[in-house]
Amino acid sequence: MLRGFLGRRSRSAWVRLTYLCVITIIFLFASSQFKSTATHARFVPEPAQPVHTIAGAADPRLRPNPESLNHNQDGIDQPDPARVDSPDVPQHQNAQWVTRKILQQQRTSKKPFENVVINGEKYPKLTPDGKFIPQRRIIHLDLKGAAYKPDYFEELFAFFNRLHATGILLEWEDMFPFKGRLSGAVNKNAYSMETVERILKAAQKHHLQIIPLVQTMGHLEWILKLEQFAHLREDSRFPQVICFSDDDAWDLIKEMIEEVAEVHKKYGMPYFHIGADEAFQIGICNASVARIQKEFSRERLMLWHIARTARFVKEKYAETQVLAWHDMMASAMESDIEDYKLTELVQPVLWNYAEDLDIYLPRSTWMLLRNFGSVWGSSAWKGADGPARYSTNANHYVKNHESWIKQFTMVYKDFNVVEGLIMTGWSRYDHFAVLAETIPVALPTLAISMETMLEGRPLLGNHPVTSELLQCSPPLDLGYVASGCRFPGSRIYELINDMYQKQMQLRTYRQDDYEVNGWLSRVADEYTVSSHWYIDKIEQMIEMHAVPLERIAEDLRFEMDKIFYKDTIDEFLFTYLGEDLEWLNKKRETIKKVSDAKAFPKRPFVESAKSIGTQCS
């Protein structure tokens, strides 16, 4: 009986439990649908609009559309810009609204570049097979090494115009005539302000957009190497990165920016490049250590400085967009980048000069910066093939540009606009490094690289446009040269590459020739003993190597004087030819002394007191 009672109670309970479960499931299902609908409604992206419509000046790339001032393309009302920027709305709320609008536009707009026009051409510009062609092609001129005499700029700019370049990035460094505190740091050959304006007028005359570059964090050796500025180093041992958290250092940075910008703005300054790359020492000086307590990390400290520098430029020059090299931002967290509103303040320039960018600039790097609406790429046409490379190695740079075609084609749809390509031409790896390729040596490389980018494909050694422009067919291989070329400084191009070939022959001779190593060694130099028979044979070979190099040195000095200042010529010849000429002249002296000798001492020739072993002990 008890079993029957319990059984009936059990079945009744299970029925009620089943009904309760069904009702609960129906309730939860209905609730989830309502909650899902409400949640989705909160995150429906607000209608997309051009990045610069609300905050800052209108973007000159965009076609004006009066009907879109307060409505998007779907006719949905947009916030009134006057309302958003009104004094009644807190400024930080304005910035947050703009940031949200920009980020949502970048993440949701399927055709973000629909109305963009660059240099009169609709963006993007693609080859028939879909390869991306940069519509801004900016040639970088690095004046921290082998700066040119003023007259050469006119020739260069005319040449750049024929290459279909659209602008120049001028890195003045110590060649700019800074005043005040910085006047004592400038180069002894620095241009006058009249010369600076003459250069800018020449660029404008040849329809080249002018972008100034002022380093504002690292690569400030030209200032920090000096005793009067050594206290502003981030690390007292390394005169590279400025202690930007220090008020005095910040004032100095602002002075540099203002002095350069004030002259550039007369000739149009749509962009200003603040550098900000390769700052290897951060968070070391006292001011930075104190500032980290507020910013919480070295990475955020760096972003804080980039942001305030960009904001300073934009507040003083409202129509100017700020560029910065990407490498110091690429390691930051996206949330930190958004915290400092860098996506509103800066257009990053992603740079790499390798032959295979898939290895050194993978898609993941681009995606780290995907919240920036506008980005640039940066290749190299000289000064990026080793710090002591002085002869032509076009093949390296052409491969870099071929790889950039692949990069741009892969990523351009991920951004509102890929603004263009900055083709860097470094004169030194940094202020203390030796001279790299001088500009005449690399102009054929630049022409080939530009033709490659405009064609949007590898040209496999066939460069008809370059050949017509230069009146020659420059080879791609290291140190090889075409004769009869016609471009600014073409004779220097021929002489330096000829010098390279002659030096390679001399090095082979010094290393492999058994006569010079057997009978004109250091023993012969030091003790004037050798065989007259072999010395007579060696003398002919020494002259065969010495005479052409001496002639090249003389001709180079004459030709380089047309373009460069004397200190550049002296430095180049001292660095790259001086050691070989010294060795050859030393051997000539030994040959003469041995030839004049009528007799020689008995062995041992090498006195023990002069032996290396004795000197070491």
Side-chain angles (χ1 to χ4, degrees):
M1 181 182 237
L2 184 59
R3 184 183 308 164
F5 176 78
L6 292 175
R8 285 194 297 272
R9 289 292 300 268
S10 177
R11 285 195 297 272
S12 178
W14 278 112
V15 170
R16 289 198 299 272
L17 183 60
T18 301
Y19 289 151
L20 180 61
C21 289
V22 170
I23 293 171
T24 302
I25 291 171
I26 293 173
F27 176 80
L28 291 175
F29 177 78
S31 299
S32 67
Q33 291 300 303
F34 177 81
K35 182 178 180 180
S36 176
T37 302
T39 303
H40 290 166
R42 283 201 302 273
F43 286 94
V44 169
E46 297 179 64
Q49 65 180 43
V51 172
H52 301 290
T53 300
I54 294 175
D59 193 330
R61 300 171 312 224
L62 302 175
R63 289 195 180 100
N65 183 2
E67 297 179 359
S68 66
L69 291 177
N70 293 317
H71 301 275
N72 72 353
Q73 294 177 352
D74 296 324
I76 301 174
D77 287 338
Q78 293 286 345
D80 184 352
R83 173 70 184 92
V84 173
D85 291 335
S86 70
D88 298 330
V89 180
Q91 190 61 38
H92 72 275
Q93 291 183 14
N94 294 346
Q96 290 173 352
W97 187 90
V98 173
T99 302
R100 184 172 68 251
K101 295 289 292 181
I102 292 171
L103 294 179
Q104 289 176 350
Q105 173 201 353
Q106 291 163 1
R107 289 169 180 164
T108 63
S109 180
K110 294 181 179 179
K111 294 182 179 179
F113 42 72
E114 187 174 20
N115 297 317
V116 175
V117 175
I118 297 178
N119 293 331
E121 296 179 309
K122 192 175 186 304
Y123 175 89
K125 184 175 182 179
L126 305 176
T127 65
D129 60 346
K131 299 297 191 295
F132 183 92
I133 299 175
Q135 290 163 265
R136 287 193 179 92
R137 298 171 294 276
I138 309 298
I139 298 175
H140 169 236
L141 298 179
D142 175 22
L143 300 179
K144 68 171 171 285
Y148 342 116
K149 292 180 177 178
D151 289 344
Y152 189 62
F153 282 94
E154 182 79 33
E155 295 182 67
L156 269 186
F157 295 156
F159 182 75
F160 292 167
N161 189 273
R162 294 171 66 197
L163 288 180
H164 300 289
T166 67
I168 54 172
L169 176 67
L170 271 173
E171 185 167 0
W172 296 100
E173 206 191 66
D174 61 355
M175 290 299 291
F176 189 86
F178 288 102
K179 301 174 184 177
R181 286 192 295 171
L182 289 168
S183 61
V186 300
N187 195 303
K188 294 178 182 178
N189 295 322
Y191 304 123
S192 66
M193 188 56 71
E194 291 75 18
T195 298
V196 167
E197 297 216 32
R198 176 183 163 193
I199 293 168
L200 298 180
K201 287 178 183 176
Q204 192 177 59
K205 170 186 171 183
H206 292 285
H207 312 290
L208 296 169
Q209 196 173 62
I210 310 163
I211 304 175
L213 190 158
V214 175
Q215 288 285 358
T216 57
M217 187 159 59
H219 288 299
L220 286 171
E221 295 94 339
W222 71 276
I223 297 172
L224 301 177
K225 69 181 181 182
L226 302 172
E227 184 177 357
Q228 62 264 43
F229 297 108
H231 66 287
L232 296 179
R233 298 173 184 174
E234 182 72 24
D235 186 321
S236 61
R237 185 167 174 247
F238 303 111
Q240 183 197 34
V241 179
I242 196 166
C243 178
F244 50 77
S245 305
D246 181 87
D247 290 340
D248 192 26
W250 175 232
D251 288 340
L252 195 68
I253 292 168
K254 291 188 290 185
E255 287 176 30
M256 285 192 291
I257 292 172
E258 287 184 296
E259 288 198 45
V260 172
E262 286 302 312
V263 64
H264 270 266
K265 73 176 185 179
K266 300 178 186 178
Y267 303 92
M269 193 173 66
Y271 300 98
F272 191 101
H273 200 312
I274 61 171
D277 65 315
E278 295 185 325
F280 301 126
Q281 306 93 35
I282 292 180
I284 300 172
C285 65
N286 291 336
S288 290
V289 170
R291 187 72 203 188
I292 285 180
Q293 304 305 312
K294 298 180 180 180
E295 308 305 328
F296 306 116
S297 71
R298 294 172 66 254
E299 288 72 21
R300 288 177 61 88
L301 176 67
M302 171 196 65
L303 297 179
W304 166 77
H305 175 62
I306 294 174
R308 72 165 177 171
T309 304
R311 190 176 294 108
F312 173 78
V313 174
K314 292 176 77 68
E315 287 175 353
K316 290 194 68 68
Y317 311 101
E319 302 298 320
T320 299
Q321 301 293 329
V322 179
L323 309 185
W325 302 120
H326 87 287
D327 53 305
M328 303 307 291
M329 292 182 279
S331 59
M333 297 177 63
E334 289 183 53
S335 58
D336 290 341
I337 289 175
E338 292 181 20
D339 284 349
Y340 291 100
K341 297 182 172 58
L342 282 173
T343 54
E344 300 173 44
L345 297 170
V346 169
Q347 294 181 0
V349 184
L350 286 84
W351 62 272
N352 200 281
Y353 315 136
E355 296 181 10
D356 185 357
L357 295 178
D358 291 341
I359 298 174
Y360 298 98
L361 194 60
R363 186 180 181 85
S364 59
T365 301
W366 292 92
M367 291 302 97
L368 285 170
L369 304 172
R370 64 185 179 273
N371 289 337
F372 289 88
S374 297
V375 295
W376 297 69
S378 182
S379 60
W381 56 279
K382 80 180 188 78
D385 186 35
R389 167 71 64 220
Y390 67 88
S391 56
T392 299
N393 188 17
N395 195 47
H396 169 74
Y397 298 108
V398 171
K399 287 181 178 178
N400 175 243
H401 285 89
E402 291 172 354
S403 197
W404 267 107
I405 294 170
K406 292 174 57 181
Q407 287 283 312
F408 279 147
T409 303
M410 174 182 67
V411 304
Y412 79 91
K413 293 181 181 178
D414 296 320
F415 296 90
N416 286 6
V417 180
V418 174
E419 297 280 355
L421 179 70
I422 295 175
M423 306 170 74
T424 60
W426 301 103
S427 295
R428 307 181 192 274
Y429 269 41
D430 67 24
H431 182 82
F432 290 121
V434 296
L435 289 169
E437 303 105 302
T438 57
I439 193 165
V441 170
L443 287 181
T445 301
L446 174 62
I448 296 170
S449 299
M450 185 71 79
E451 184 177 357
T452 299
M453 295 307 299
L454 288 170
E455 286 292 321
R457 61 185 176 87
L459 297 177
L460 306 177
N462 181 30
H463 310 103
V465 175
T466 297
S467 297
E468 181 178 354
L469 176 64
L470 304 183
Q471 296 298 298
C472 67
S473 297
L476 299 180
D477 296 326
L478 175 61
Y480 285 88
V481 64
S483 58
C485 297
R486 294 290 181 268
F487 59 86
S490 55
R491 182 58 182 149
I492 297 173
Y493 159 76
E494 294 176 356
L495 286 168
I496 288 180
N497 284 289
D498 189 26
M499 182 181 89
Y500 174 81
Q501 294 296 331
K502 296 291 192 296
Q503 287 181 307
M504 293 303 103
Q505 294 168 9
L506 176 60
R507 281 167 174 72
T508 300
Y509 172 69
R510 290 180 60 175
Q511 180 176 338
D512 297 340
D513 188 83
Y514 81 96
E515 291 178 341
V516 74
N517 287 307
W519 285 271
L520 201 59
S521 67
R522 293 185 65 210
V523 172
D525 292 337
E526 187 68 25
Y527 299 103
T528 315
V529 291
S530 191
S531 166
H532 284 159
W533 171 260
Y534 283 104
I535 286 295
D536 289 347
K537 295 173 65 178
I538 294 169
E539 183 177 14
Q540 299 177 37
M541 297 300 297
I542 292 294
E543 292 303 313
M544 187 185 76
H545 287 284
V547 172
L549 286 175
E550 289 174 334
R551 186 182 64 250
I552 287 172
E554 183 179 348
D555 291 347
L556 265 178
R557 188 171 289 280
F558 176 77
E559 293 293 336
M560 292 181 76
D561 185 63
K562 300 174 184 178
I563 297 175
F564 300 108
Y565 296 99
K566 183 178 182 298
D567 65 293
T568 295
I569 304 169
D570 290 341
E571 181 184 354
F572 180 85
L573 294 176
F574 174 81
T575 303
Y576 293 116
L577 195 52
E579 185 178 350
D580 286 337
L581 292 179
E582 288 173 6
W583 184 86
L584 289 164
N585 285 326
K586 177 69 174 176
K587 296 307 176 186
R588 280 171 163 169
E589 293 173 5
T590 300
I591 288 171
K592 186 177 186 310
K593 288 190 292 184
V594 170
S595 297
D596 291 343
K598 304 300 182 182
F600 302 100
K602 63 182 180 181
R603 283 191 181 277
F605 301 142
V606 179
E607 301 174 14
S608 59
K610 293 184 179 180
S611 69
I612 292 178
T614 304
Q615 290 173 353
C616 290
S617 63

